[in-house]
Amino acid sequence: MFVIRTAEEMACALTSPLDPTLRERLAAQRDHLLNYPEHAFEELGVFIVIQPGDSLNDISRTAAYCLADGESFSIEAEAIDQHGGWLELLFILSDDGFGLVLFVPLQQGTDPGILKACQALAPNRDLLNTP
């Protein structure tokens, strides 16, 4: 997985080779955070992009927040959106609005545990059979 915690890391990510849909979504998130100039980027949230080999427990360790409870997420997502082959989940982690945006590729190689946990948050979508 790769993690974006600062504006500098976001800028670096956006200039690196990325899936076009992921780049578009990261840029949209960056642009959204620009609406809050009174706060530093790292005060507003963190972005985690899942890669092959990452597990549900890896997400919690990386986020430094208990997102996983066994085989599911321990908190509800505020928003779940699907963009092409990506699932974008927004979790609000604190009362001040600090958020975590999780990008999950809906493709072979993504940990089945992560996909099942996402499916449980979005029961009206067929995430497990997305090519």
Side-chain angles (χ1 to χ4, degrees), residues 13 22 43 60 71 83 114 126 128:
L22 177 60
E43 295 174 327
S60 290
E71 296 182 358
H83 303 279
I114 293 174
D126 188 12
L128 301 179

Side-chain angles (χ1 to χ4, degrees), residues 29-82:
Q29 288 290 341
R30 178 212 49 210
D31 293 348
H32 176 73
L33 294 184
L34 292 174
N35 292 321
Y36 303 94
E38 67 277 9
H39 296 286
F41 188 98
E42 54 273 7
E43 295 174 327
L44 298 170
V46 62
F47 302 87
I48 297 178
V49 180
I50 299 300
Q51 295 178 313
D54 295 335
S55 71
L56 198 54
N57 287 331
D58 293 336
I59 297 168
S60 290
R61 279 193 297 277
T62 300
Y65 188 86
C66 185
L67 286 174
D69 182 19
E71 296 182 358
S72 61
F73 288 104
S74 57
I75 61 174
E76 289 294 317
E78 291 289 321
I80 303 171
D81 294 304
Q82 189 170 345

